[in-house]
Amino acid sequence: MEKASYRTGGATSWPRMEPRPKPLPWSDWLFETVLTFTRPIFQVILAIHVMYPLWVKFASYLISNLGLSERFIFAMVTVGTHHMTLAVVNSFFLCCDQFGWLSKFRLPTPEAAQPSYSLKREAVIGIAASGIPMFFGSYVFYGVYQFFGTTSALAPLPSSFVMWKQIAFAKFFASLAFDLTHRTIHSKALYKRIHSKHHRFIATMSIAAEFAHPIEGGPTILGPLLAGMHPLVWCIFLCWEQTNAGITHSGYCFYIPS
């Protein structure tokens, strides 16, 4: 007899089906993986080339007119990119919830599972406050980024092929590391200490993506660090990753199976 569905909460608001659906055939999985590492990355590279002239003017002004160091600029743009992306993505989905935009894509959620006002406020305050340790962490460890190849803010962009390799590696590393760490922190020994905070959002929303233990952000940071990205490439990659995280936690499903 088929068991009733129930919601897992946390990362998504999908119902957990019993019996579990069969995994994708390897050929379909390979096709989806190839798409992940081609089409979106080329779009990211296009955005990098479009933004580069503005980036050079911006970085030149900060260095020449304000006398800011490369280390300070790297930390500043890291926090700025992170917080501005979250502000835009979260504001958009907040408007969707408030005004009923894109309601046909909204996943059904029981009213009792909706996050409380105090939980949402705690998440927003936490996101804002995270900028402080993020800035100092980026500032202190800037030398490590340089060791692995991060260039000056005013350095020319690498070739599109080099950027593709860097972004593909960072994306693959982040995906693999996230999967491994996520399984690990769901263990009995670590769930309560680390991951339970994230699952306080039962019916998830975009701000829930960042409502987590700081260690859970490691996969997103380590990949670009090891890839030795240009600062602009790092910023666009970070924007892409944070946008994806906001969408997957939003409670909206825009994916239409073929």
Side-chain angles (χ1 to χ4, degrees), residues 7 9 13 93 97-98 106-120 200-206 249-252:
R7 295 184 179 276
S13 192
F93 283 113
D97 291 341
Q98 188 70 27
R106 190 76 167 92
L107 296 171
T109 305
E111 186 64 31
Q114 293 294 334
S116 64
Y117 172 79
S118 60
L119 180 59
K120 290 186 283 188
R200 287 171 59 193
F201 276 87
I202 299 173
T204 189
M205 56 193 308
S206 58
H249 287 79
S250 66
Y252 291 80

Side-chain angles (χ1 to χ4, degrees), residues 13-122:
S13 192
W14 285 105
R16 182 177 178 89
M17 305 300 296
E18 296 291 354
R20 299 292 290 148
K22 295 181 179 180
L24 284 174
W26 72 268
S27 56
D28 291 351
W29 173 85
L30 180 61
F31 177 73
E32 292 292 337
T33 302
V34 170
L35 283 183
T36 299
F37 287 92
T38 51
R39 183 175 58 191
I41 293 180
F42 286 128
Q43 294 170 348
V44 170
I45 292 174
L46 177 61
I48 292 168
H49 283 294
V50 170
M51 291 295 297
Y52 182 66
L54 294 175
W55 168 268
V56 171
K57 292 181 180 179
F58 176 65
S60 298
Y61 175 80
L62 295 178
I63 294 172
S64 301
N65 293 54
L66 301 184
L68 300 181
S69 66
E70 295 272 358
R71 183 185 295 267
F72 189 94
I73 292 173
F74 180 80
M76 182 182 72
V77 296
T78 295
V79 176
T81 301
H82 179 269
H83 277 44
M84 284 192 292
T85 302
L86 290 180
V88 172
V89 173
N90 290 331
S91 295
F92 171 74
F93 283 113
L94 178 63
C95 289
C96 288
D97 291 341
Q98 188 70 27
F99 302 113
W101 300 347
L102 305 176
S103 57
K104 66 179 181 179
F105 299 104
R106 190 76 167 92
L107 296 171
T109 305
E111 186 64 31
Q114 293 294 334
S116 64
Y117 172 79
S118 60
L119 180 59
K120 290 186 283 188
R121 182 181 60 185
E122 182 183 350

Side-chain angles (χ1 to χ4, degrees), residues 211-228:
F211 192 67
H213 192 282
I215 198 174
E216 297 188 53
T220 302
I221 297 172
L222 288 176
L225 184 151
L226 297 174

Side-chain angles (χ1 to χ4, degrees), residues 44-45 48 55 157-158 162-164 166-167 224 228-239:
V44 170
I45 292 174
I48 292 168
W55 168 268
L157 286 175
V162 170
M163 286 192 288
W164 183 88
Q166 292 175 335
I167 296 169
M229 292 178 169
H230 185 285
L232 175 60
V233 179
W234 156 237
C235 286
I236 301 297
F237 176 82
L238 179 60
C239 177

